[in-house]
């Protein structure tokens, strides 16, 4: 666990999105234990409250409460009250400041506080907080010529993401004008025009902002640069292009993981019209799903995880009208295409929005390959199936991957890999080739795994 409360808080939503719930709970408990009597969170290694750390805690705790990970709202409310108390009647955060802090740094700190307080206002339905946020945000728009800052990386992406949290994409775009203008072909963004070095955490944070703004090509290039500069241990130096710099893992890793997750989600949400919405009933994948479904008994409750626009659910609803079908996908735009009668739930493989043992069967067709932690995803699939329930996974065979183009995050699998991941939770595990299309002797691009959840 990082020593800085702000870093710990910022990492909590990332841990949850990647399914690391046990670790998130442990860190959250330790974070809350450090809250001060006035509701704030302290500076790293120092006494007194920190606006930055408190804002990070408010935003994180509000997200975890919304996701049902945290039940006790009191620490988040107390921290939000602390932030609200710093917003004076003239819409200015009270000057609890370190002497000599540059105006731009202080402005970004205030902006981050407003974004966190706005999140809390929406979560806890406190209109006074939101009104104070709007007054202060208006003042900050007038206070600073944001796009003219010389430093294009260290503060601008933080401010841009804060504006996005405040629902102001135009201000966010203004923040990134300079960074966009000086991004290099290899994806890096130097600290200044013509510079030979830059901040890796800021570059990952820029990628996140660009994805949120729909500027995928810039964000993709930034991630490619970070991929090529990642150490074998999985971390990064604090800066690229400078010798002898210390490793600065936490913030780079946090923003990188957030950006990669958004890269995968946005790639589908942005291309929903190109995704197939039907499956031929002669296709080997459909025949495998239909055979598996028929063995689940009368009126089973079944989830299709990573369902996309629901092409398999559409056929299942027709062929098995008594079944209770649930479609789960991280892209809300795709869930809108689900057929009538299918329950939509927004979520992904790493944190399936379902109770333990909720389903009689779970299905994952061509979705595991897009999971950033596929072994964790298999564990999640097993978690939500009742003892004696069935799991069906259909995905691409690793032996065929050299013959195909795929996205950089895609993973294809060997038969024994998925079987090994299922083994701790399941019995009667089997795998077999699944035809791609109506020809049973087609290219054998796919494999199908079935298993029964142990009690």
């Amino acid at each position: 666990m990082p020593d800085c409360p702000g870093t710990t808080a910022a990492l909590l939503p990332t841990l949850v999105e990647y399914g690391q719930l046990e670790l998130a709970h442990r860190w959250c408990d330790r974070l809350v234990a450090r809250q001060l009597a006035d509701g704030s969170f302290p500076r790293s290694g120092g006494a007194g409250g920190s606006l930055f750390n408190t804002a990070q805690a408010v935003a994180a705790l509000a997200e975890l409460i919304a996701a049902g990970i945290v039940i006790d709202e009191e620490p988040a409310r107390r921290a939000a009250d602390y932030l609200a108390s710093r917003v004076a009647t003239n819409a200015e955060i009270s000057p609890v400041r370190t002497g000599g802090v540059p105006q731009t740094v202080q402005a970004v700190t205030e902006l981050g506080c407003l974004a966190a307080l706005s999140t809390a206002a929406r979560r806890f339905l406190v209109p006074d907080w939101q009104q104070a946020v709007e007054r202060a945000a208006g003042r900050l728009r007038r206070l600073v010529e944001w796009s003219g800052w010389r430093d294009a990386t260290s503060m601008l992406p933080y401010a841009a993401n804060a504006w996005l949290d405040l629902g102001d994409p135009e201000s966010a775009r203004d923040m990134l004008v300079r960074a966009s203008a000086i991004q290099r072909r290899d994806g890096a963004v130097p600290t200044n025009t013509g510079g030979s070095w830059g901040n890796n955490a800021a570059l990952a944070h820029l990628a996140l902002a660009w994805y949120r703004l729909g500027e995928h090509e810039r964000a993709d290039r930034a991630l490619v640069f970070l991929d090529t500069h990642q150490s074998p241990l999985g971390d990064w130096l604090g800066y690229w292009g400078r010798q002898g710099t210390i490793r600065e893992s936490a913030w780079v890793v946090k923003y990188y993981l957030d950006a990669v997750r958004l890269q995968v989600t946005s790639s589908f949400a942005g291309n929903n019209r190109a995704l197939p919405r039907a499956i031929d009933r002669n296709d080997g994948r459909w025949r495998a799903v239909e055979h598996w479904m028929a063995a689940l008994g009368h009126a089973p409750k079944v989830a299709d995880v990573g369902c996309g626009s629901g092409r398999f659910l559409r056929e299942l609803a027709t062929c098995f009208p008594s079944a209770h079908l649930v479609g789960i996908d991280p892209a809300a735009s795709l869930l809108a295409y689900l057929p009538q009668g299918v329950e939509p739930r927004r979520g992904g493989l790493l944190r399936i929005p379902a109770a333990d043992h909720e389903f009689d069967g779970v299905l994952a067709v061509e979705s595991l390959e897009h999971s950033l932690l596929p072994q964790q995803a298999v564990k999640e699939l097993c978690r939500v199936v009742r003892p004696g329930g069935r799991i069906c996974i259909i995905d691409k065979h690793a032996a065929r991957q050299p013959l195909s183009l795929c996205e950089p995050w895609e993973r294809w699998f060997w038969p024994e890999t998925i079987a090994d991941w299922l083994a701790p939770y399941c019995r009667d595990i089997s795998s077999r080739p699944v035809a791609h299309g109506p020809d049973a002797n087609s290219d054998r691009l796919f494999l199908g795994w079935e298993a029964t959840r142990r009690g």
Side-chain angles (χ1 to χ4, degrees), residues 229-251:
H229 288 74
Q230 187 177 23
S231 83
L233 297 176
D235 64 355
W236 285 265
L237 291 172
Y239 298 89
W240 58 267
R242 296 176 70 178
Q243 299 298 320
T245 54
I246 62 171
R247 296 201 173 277
E248 188 178 299
S249 301
W251 287 103

Side-chain angles (χ1 to χ4, degrees), residues 164-213:
L164 287 169
D165 292 340
L166 287 166
D168 189 347
E170 290 309 310
S171 291
R173 288 185 193 280
D174 288 344
M175 301 298 304
L176 302 184
V177 168
R178 184 173 179 79
S180 298
I182 65 175
Q183 186 181 25
R184 305 188 323 190
R185 285 189 177 184
D186 63 1
V189 178
T191 300
N192 292 293
T193 303
S196 59
W197 61 275
N199 185 307
N200 281 322
L203 183 60
H205 212 178
L206 278 169
L208 179 62
W210 278 325
Y211 281 128
R212 296 180 70 184
L213 288 167

Side-chain angles (χ1 to χ4, degrees), residues 50 190 368:
S50 160
L368 194 63

Side-chain angles (χ1 to χ4, degrees), residues 293-308:
M293 184 75 174
L296 293 180
H298 179 69
K301 186 174 184 179
V302 174
D304 182 353
V305 186
C307 64

Side-chain angles (χ1 to χ4, degrees), residues 99-127:
V101 176
Q103 181 192 45
T104 51
V105 175
Q106 184 59 40
V108 171
T109 300
E110 293 187 13
L111 188 59
C113 291
L114 297 180
L117 187 57
S118 179
T119 299
R122 293 192 300 272
R123 175 59 196 165
F124 302 125
L125 302 178
V126 183

